[in-house]
Amino acid sequence: MAINVEQYNQIKEALGDKAVLVAVSKTKPADDILELYKLGQRDFGENYVQELAEKQLVLPNDIRWHFIGHLQSNKVKYIAPFVHLIHGVDSYKLLLEIDKQAGKHKRIINCLLQVHIAQEETKFGFSQEELAEAMKSINASQQSGLLQNIRVAGLMGMASFTEDQQHIQKEFIYLKGLFDEYFPASSAPDAVLSMGMSSDYALAVNNGSNMVRIGSLLFGARSKP
Ligand SMILES: *Cc1c(COP(=O)(O)O)cnc(C)c1O
């Protein structure tokens, strides 16, 4: 077996009904995904459009595919027919394109806005100010009948690449604060806060995450990032 069944069971048990597990299968073969599928896993996450499109063709139809990578506007069309949730939306322009492509397929595509919470410049996402502006534009557009084919379902973030748990926790608390501000449980009980990966998922869930994206713990280390 290529996948770590014991880890899978442990993670599922630890998450309970607190958080949805997205199994991140990027760079891993379809056979590995099928193994996990046979154990009941249905949510899978991929980072690369072409890889996702190829896997989707050969794998069961009831898999919920999450796009968790950095999405370029010109590639939205390849995943629009089937994608379940797009995690890393980081511009209004991208949202417009997702809306357009979703409309062609008569779908409503759920999206998460990515917030830049890490120290690293290399990571993507809105700053706090940009998020405020984007939320305002989105709400105004939707109230005037635009952007009817997307739904902003919540927020996503990636913590800094560091061993310093306290630092990571600070970033998670910061993101949870923004999440509560824009998606209060009273009016948005189903909103999604996607935060936490293999190395920090427990910390993320303890700090309010309700969706974690876990790759290497389940599928083993990757050779490509
Ligand atoms: C690759 C990736 C993950 C999974 O990372 P692991 O450390 O292998 O669990 C989660 N989220 C994003 C955005 C990723 O690119």
Side-chain angles (χ1 to χ4, degrees):
M1 281 235 179
I3 58 158
N4 192 331
V5 176
E6 211 174 301
Q7 271 293 356
Y8 177 67
N9 291 330
Q10 267 176 31
I11 292 168
K12 287 295 286 178
E13 168 124 8
L15 296 178
D17 55 11
K18 292 194 291 276
V20 172
L21 169 63
V22 177
V24 177
S25 46
K26 62 179 171 217
T27 79
K28 299 297 176 182
D31 282 350
D32 288 5
I33 297 175
L34 259 189
E35 276 188 40
L36 215 49
Y37 177 89
K38 284 177 189 153
L39 298 177
Q41 180 65 23
R42 290 295 178 272
D43 292 275
F44 290 89
E46 290 281 341
N47 288 55
Y48 310 103
V49 167
Q50 193 183 342
E51 185 181 344
L52 170 55
E54 284 169 8
K55 285 173 173 172
Q56 191 268 341
L57 274 181
V58 299
L59 284 160
N61 270 328
D62 61 342
I63 288 181
R64 292 182 289 270
W65 291 106
H66 297 245
F67 191 80
I68 65 169
H70 186 247
L71 184 55
Q72 290 168 292
S73 291
N74 61 352
K75 297 201 170 157
V76 174
K77 57 177 178 282
Y78 301 113
I79 61 172
F82 63 86
V83 70
H84 173 69
L85 180 63
I86 299 177
H87 288 231
V89 176
D90 63 353
S91 76
Y92 188 79
K93 181 178 153 254
L94 179 58
L95 218 45
L96 281 176
E97 178 64 16
I98 296 170
D99 180 68
K100 182 175 144 196
Q101 297 299 332
K104 285 187 186 166
H105 298 281
K106 303 215 168 2
R107 302 187 66 211
I108 293 174
I109 295 183
N110 287 308
C111 300
L112 305 180
L113 301 185
Q114 182 167 1
V115 183
H116 188 273
I117 60 171
Q119 287 167 316
E120 292 108 68
E121 294 282 325
T122 49
K123 292 209 166 113
F124 296 102
F126 292 105
S127 68
Q128 185 168 354
E129 294 74 29
E130 290 164 345
L131 178 67
E133 236 172 78
M135 288 298 295
K136 221 162 94 184
S137 309
I138 294 162
N139 287 334
S141 297
Q142 291 192 321
Q143 269 158 29
S144 58
L146 301 168
L147 291 184
Q148 299 298 301
N149 301 300
I150 57 111
R151 190 173 79 94
V152 177
L155 301 179
M156 179 267 208
M158 283 175 90
S160 294
F161 187 70
T162 169
E163 302 276 287
D164 182 347
Q165 296 294 302
Q166 259 178 335
H167 185 91
I168 294 172
Q169 185 172 26
K170 259 191 220 156
E171 294 176 350
F172 285 160
I173 290 172
Y174 171 69
L175 182 56
K176 176 66 159 73
L178 291 174
F179 178 69
D180 288 339
E181 183 181 338
Y182 291 106
F183 302 89
S186 51
S187 59
D190 299 326
V192 174
L193 178 55
S194 167
M195 68 179 190
M197 313 177 18
S198 287
S199 56
D200 55 21
Y201 79 89
L203 190 61
V205 171
N206 282 335
N207 287 283
S209 166
N210 60 20
M211 186 173 280
V212 295
R213 312 174 306 269
I214 298 183
S216 39
L217 275 187
L218 297 170
F219 295 103
R222 292 175 298 271
S223 39
K224 246 185 345 173

